Amino acid sequence: MITLIRCMGALQVLTTTLLLLVGSRHSSAVSPPSGYRSTLTHVDSHGGFTKAELMRRAAHRSRHRAFMMLLPRYSTMSTSSNAGPARLRSGQAEYLMELAIGTPPVPFVALADTGSDLTWTQCKPCKLCFPQDTPIYDTAASASFSPVPCASATCLPIWRSSRNCTATTTSPCRYRYAYDDGAYSAGVLGTETLTFAGSSPGAPGPGVSVGGVAFGCGVDNGGLSYNSTGTVGLGRGSLSLVAQLGVGKFSYCLTDFFNTSLGSPVLFGSLAELAAPSTIGGAAVQSTPLVQGPYNPSRYYVSLEGISLGDARLPIPNGTFDLRDDGSGGMIVDSGTIFTVLVESAFRVVVNHVAGVLNQPVVNASSLDSPCFPATAGEQQLPDMPDMLLHFAGGADMRLHRDNYMSFNQESSSFCLNIAGAPSAYGSILGNFQQQNIQMLFDITVGQLSFVPTDCSKL
């Protein structure tokens, strides 16, 4: 967890200050809450799209994000705007996280990104800002905003490679994040109060607030929207929201992809614990170690050891998914990529075995895109399919039911495997379509990913 400093002014103490919900029987003289709750909504939730349109739009975003994430090594470290900008691979994501920022609080609806650390929002006065539906946050109108100087330890991840921002300078800590898909944000690092919805769904009152959270106040932003005002960083670094809350772990549970009216819970701290067995039909919790990437420390890597379709272990050579010393390979668990991506050699094996189950040829056999298979005349839904199992290190098996890896495309009357391929020199990603109705718990303190099948709409 990063060290938060004291700012000038008697009104600001930059240590975490928590306010309990109105509706609690206790007054403000209570212990800080040990958990926080927010809601994820899909970026296309208000578009009125058909299933085919949802898949087409998501596939385009997913293809772009996956390609950017799996490029050779890069740094997610931000630098002063006087130095070169940090290069992040993608500013795209699939889910919006609902928060509020400042005092008094204003809406902060941001892209939730497990692949980056810095939380940032558009700020007045804007040099350049993309359109947003809610009022742009104004530091001058907030009683809880404080700028972070270069001399602050909070600025350390920012100024580490800067020529003009050092531990002895008092000038503002400036940042610039530039994404390879064209999106960027530049501005000043500050601390603010963030407000969460509460400790339970639909809880009354103003919510739970936490002060002194370091964030980017972006006055020059471009290329990012999806009805958002910025980004919430949920990665493994010291500037991520998870680290700053000091809770050590968080979980999310993604509801049915095609039911965009449903929100998905994202839970921090004590609220992040996995659902009780009675909620999940007695299914066992599975756990696998998180692996540290040599060049991508913010990513959540896991060790995938094999794949089964039904009772058959697929003939994928050992070591196919290993994370290599040069940073290539491995599997990233990502909330912002929709389709799981497998290195090409494994992808071809999976496609061929799915084709065998369906007894149909692949329509786009030479492509690394999500493959489709022609449906027989009159078919309007998926046939029965065996479960797919992803075998992770430590004996953890993620069981994917048919609807977690297949979909029916009514426009083309075809069955589609919602898994894509990538050149073998790149790596693999566990996408969010495969994570539907599976609660995913990221325990940063012990370095472990745990998961269990869950009806996410009931959490």
Side-chain angles (χ1 to χ4, degrees), residues 343-366:
V343 290
E344 184 172 4
S345 58
F347 171 72
R348 299 296 181 197
V349 172
V350 172
V351 171
N352 289 338
H353 279 74
V354 170
V357 170
L358 293 170
N359 197 26
Q360 292 286 357
V362 183
V363 173
N364 45 348
S366 62

Side-chain angles (χ1 to χ4, degrees), residues 2-4 14 117-120 146 148 152 154-155 158 188-194 210-217 238-241 244:
I2 62 171
T3 303
L4 300 178
L14 298 183
D117 294 330
L118 182 67
T119 293
W120 63 267
S146 288
V148 171
S152 165
T154 305
C155 190
I158 304 295
V188 177
L189 201 70
T191 60
E192 250 303 5
T193 295
L194 295 184
V210 55
V213 176
F215 79 108
C217 175
S238 62
L239 278 179
S240 79
L241 182 60
Q244 293 197 66

Side-chain angles (χ1 to χ4, degrees), residues 211-237:
V213 176
F215 79 108
C217 175
V219 296
D220 184 6
N221 316 283
L224 188 72
S225 181
Y226 300 109
N227 302 313
S228 75
T229 66
T231 296
V232 171
L234 299 175
R236 301 176 71 177

Side-chain angles (χ1 to χ4, degrees), residues 297-382:
S298 293
R299 302 285 194 219
Y300 294 99
Y301 281 95
V302 290
S303 297
L304 180 63
E305 297 182 339
I307 301 174
S308 293
L309 191 60
D311 295 330
R313 182 84 172 224
L314 301 186
I316 299 172
N318 293 335
T320 297
F321 304 105
D322 285 356
L323 178 61
R324 295 180 280 273
D325 291 340
D326 65 359
S328 63
M331 172 170 267
I332 302 166
V333 182
D334 186 40
S335 64
T337 303
I338 178 170
F339 295 156
T340 286
V341 177
L342 301 176
V343 290
E344 184 172 4
S345 58
F347 171 72
R348 299 296 181 197
V349 172
V350 172
V351 171
N352 289 338
H353 279 74
V354 170
V357 170
L358 293 170
N359 197 26
Q360 292 286 357
V362 183
V363 173
N364 45 348
S366 62
S367 174
L368 289 176
D369 289 341
S370 167
C372 294
F373 311 82
T376 55
E379 285 282 356
Q380 294 295 316
Q381 61 184 10
L382 290 169

Side-chain angles (χ1 to χ4, degrees), residues 124 137-143 145:
K124 289 182 178 180
Y137 163 77
D138 186 356
T139 60
S142 175
F145 171 79

Side-chain angles (χ1 to χ4, degrees), residues 309-311 357 383-389 399-402 405:
L309 191 60
D311 295 330
V357 170
D384 290 336
M385 298 280 292
D387 291 345
M388 182 179 292
L389 277 78
R399 182 175 296 272
L400 305 178
H401 300 305
R402 178 197 65 184
Y405 69 94

Side-chain angles (χ1 to χ4, degrees), residues 243-265:
Q244 293 197 66
L245 291 176
V247 292
K249 57 187 173 183
F250 76 102
S251 70
Y252 57 74
C253 199
L254 304 179
T255 53
D256 182 359
F257 174 81
F258 293 112
N259 191 348
T260 55
S261 64
L262 292 175
S264 300

